[in-house]
């Protein structure tokens, strides 16, 4: 993680402390949400076994994920860091943000969300479990793990106005914050719905289904780009996930049937600029699309066109 992203996390930490300590949320419980399929150091103050041993039982609740009922020790854990009208435990909150620095865009992140709710721990755990099941059913899945940060960010990018849809996932009088792919804090608030049909109608759309179907590929592209920018110590582009999705589903992206070609197309577009703005690069892409024997070779073919790529990058600045 480069210095610019570290600075953003420090800003995120300050913002979360300010928001969760604000008068607006003082009457609510405030929580951390951990995915215990992730990994955290035993020395960390947010290590789950330490929390279970040191914190009062009425501040902890397990979200009993159906597929993990055989081992509750790996089910998601919510931790109350402030009861209504109580001062925030800033130490635990900051430890959670520090953990995000260590696990940014790993496959399973331990720290998931920062929650305010009128519900006490056990009731919130039950309500979130119901939400996970309802959202999964709407997408023809047994369960939707929207608490995973990348999954949630991908859901968010499935809407033109995400604030009107994400809140459907939350019980009443609840807000949810998470650190997104750009290392910024994103917060949304509960939205009421009439019944499961109303929920499905308002929560699902075609892009959401596509993003869920292609989540692994989109995630791999995000990880590759992050690694590249970190390796060369360059700032990561703003709205990275939005850019990935735009190129992945644009006219040429959807025509590239080979997964490696489609991945290369997105990577090169983000690094150099929209490839189809250059006639020579566009011709190469069309050749790969039209000729089966060339499929899987887009990365090699594009990398040989250094002059065209350099010209495109300079024009994109």
């Amino acid at each position: 993680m480069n210095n610019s992203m570290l600075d953003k996390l420090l800003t995120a930490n300050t913002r979360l402390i300010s928001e969760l300590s604000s008068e607006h949320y003082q009457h609510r419980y405030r929580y951390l949400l951990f995915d215990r399929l992730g990994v955290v150091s035993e020395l960390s103050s947010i290590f789950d076994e330490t929390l279970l041993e040191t914190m009062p039982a009425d501040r902890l609740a397990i979200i009993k994920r159906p597929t993990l009922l055989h081992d509750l020790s790996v089910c998601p854990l919510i931790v109350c860091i402030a009861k209504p009208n109580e001062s925030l435990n800033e130490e635990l909150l900051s430890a959670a943000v520090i953990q995000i620095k260590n696990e940014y865009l790993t496959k399973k992140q331990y720290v998931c969300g920062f929650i305010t709710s009128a519900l006490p721990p056990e009731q919130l755990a039950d309500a979130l479990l119901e939400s996970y099941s309802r959202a999964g059913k709407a997408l023809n899945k047994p369960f939707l793990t929207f608490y995973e940060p990348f999954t949630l960010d991908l859901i968010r990018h499935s809407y033109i106005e995400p604030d009107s849809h994400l809140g459907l996932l939350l019980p009443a009088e609840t807000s949810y914050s998470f650190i997104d792919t750009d290392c910024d804090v994103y917060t949304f608030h509960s939205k009421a719905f009439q019944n499961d049909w109303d929920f499905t109608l308002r929560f699902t759309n075609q892009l959401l289904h596509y993003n869920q179907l292609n989540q692994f590929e989109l995630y791999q592209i995000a990880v590759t780009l992050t690694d590249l920018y970190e390796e060369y110590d360059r700032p990561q582009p703003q709205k990275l996930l939005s850019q990935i999705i735009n190129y992945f589903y644009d006219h040429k992206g959807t025509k590239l049937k080979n997964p490696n070609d489609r991945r290369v197309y997105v990577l090169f577009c983000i690094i150099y600029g929209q490839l189809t703005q250059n006639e020579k690069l566009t011709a190469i892409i069309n050749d790969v699309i039209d000729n089966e024997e060339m499929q899987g070779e887009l990365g090699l073919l594009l990398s040989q066109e250094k002059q065209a790529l350099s010209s495109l990058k300079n024009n994109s600045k």
Side-chain angles (χ1 to χ4, degrees):
M1 180 172 285
N2 56 42
N3 290 334
S4 64
M5 295 176 74
L6 288 175
D7 290 341
K8 294 184 81 172
L9 277 181
L10 290 173
T11 300
N13 184 62
T14 301
R15 177 179 165 183
L16 284 167
I17 289 174
S18 177
E19 285 188 2
L20 299 183
S21 301
S22 68
E23 184 177 346
H24 183 70
Y25 294 125
Q26 273 292 313
H27 66 289
R28 291 185 182 180
Y29 293 88
R30 282 141 289 168
Y31 297 99
L32 302 176
L33 173 58
F34 300 133
D35 181 356
R36 292 189 290 169
L37 290 175
V39 178
V40 64
S41 169
E42 295 181 7
L43 301 177
S44 173
S45 58
I46 58 170
F47 179 54
D48 60 336
E49 290 186 18
T50 300
L51 292 171
L52 290 167
E53 290 175 0
T54 59
M55 294 196 73
D58 65 353
R59 288 184 179 268
L60 305 167
I62 295 171
I63 301 174
K64 298 174 182 176
R65 181 172 161 179
T67 53
L68 300 175
L69 288 179
H70 60 282
D71 187 0
L72 293 181
S73 68
V74 294
C75 286
L77 178 70
I78 58 175
V79 179
C80 177
I81 55 173
K83 292 182 178 181
N85 302 311
E86 184 178 78
S87 296
L88 187 72
N89 188 327
E90 295 183 14
E91 181 182 348
L92 288 183
L93 189 150
S94 296
V97 176
I98 290 171
Q99 175 65 20
I100 292 173
K101 175 182 75 69
N102 298 329
E103 64 184 15
Y104 173 72
L105 272 188
T106 53
K107 191 171 183 180
K108 282 290 183 182
Q109 291 179 233
Y110 181 78
V111 177
C112 294
F114 307 82
I115 304 172
T116 76
S117 181
L119 298 175
E122 290 291 346
Q123 291 183 36
L124 178 61
D126 291 342
L128 288 175
L129 178 60
E130 185 177 342
S131 295
Y132 301 150
S133 299
R134 183 186 299 110
K137 183 179 179 181
L139 291 168
N140 298 314
K141 294 181 173 186
F143 197 78
L144 180 62
T145 54
F146 67 76
Y147 52 84
E148 296 173 345
F150 186 81
T151 298
L152 186 52
D153 209 8
L154 199 58
I155 295 172
R156 167 194 169 193
H157 280 83
S158 301
Y159 307 110
I160 296 174
E161 297 180 353
D163 289 353
S164 299
H165 304 274
L166 290 179
L168 297 168
L169 296 166
L170 301 176
E173 294 187 75
T174 299
S175 73
Y176 192 106
S177 301
F178 73 104
I179 307 295
D180 64 16
T181 310
D182 293 325
C183 284
D184 292 325
V185 177
Y186 187 82
T187 301
F188 56 98
H189 307 272
S190 52
K191 298 286 184 183
F193 56 91
Q194 295 180 1
N195 50 43
D196 284 357
W197 171 249
D198 182 40
F199 172 88
T200 300
L201 189 65
R202 293 164 58 191
F203 177 65
T204 59
N205 62 31
Q206 191 174 45
L207 182 55
L208 177 61
H209 282 282
Y210 284 161
N211 283 341
Q212 288 296 302
L213 182 66
N214 295 303
Q215 177 165 334
F216 179 75
E217 288 76 12
L218 295 166
Y219 170 74
Q220 288 297 322
I221 293 170
V223 170
T224 299
L225 282 166
T226 300
D227 289 345
L228 283 171
Y229 283 105
E230 183 170 353
E231 180 181 350
Y232 291 99
D233 195 26
R234 294 178 181 173
Q236 183 172 294
Q238 290 295 307
K239 299 182 179 179
L240 178 63
L241 186 53
S242 179
Q243 290 190 52
I244 291 171
I245 290 171
N246 287 340
Y247 289 126
F248 193 84
Y249 295 119
D250 76 5
H251 182 63
K252 293 300 181 184
T254 53
K255 284 191 173 184
L256 290 162
K257 301 306 179 185
N258 182 284
N260 287 332
D261 288 338
R262 196 171 185 182
R263 177 171 175 267
V264 163
Y265 173 75
V266 176
L267 291 171
F268 273 67
C269 280
I270 290 177
I271 293 171
Y272 295 100
Q274 175 55 265
L275 297 179
T276 55
Q277 292 180 356
N278 182 282
E279 291 184 7
K280 192 168 189 178
L281 300 177
T282 301
I284 292 172
I285 295 167
N286 289 335
D287 285 344
V288 171
I289 291 171
D290 296 336
N291 298 287
E292 187 173 345
E293 68 275 7
M294 296 179 67
Q295 292 179 6
E297 299 295 322
L298 183 61
L300 176 62
L301 294 170
L302 290 176
S303 63
Q304 294 172 348
E305 302 297 331
K306 290 183 171 53
Q307 184 174 349
L309 289 170
S310 178
S311 175
L312 177 65
K313 190 171 185 178
N314 288 333
N315 291 334
S316 299
K317 291 179 179 179

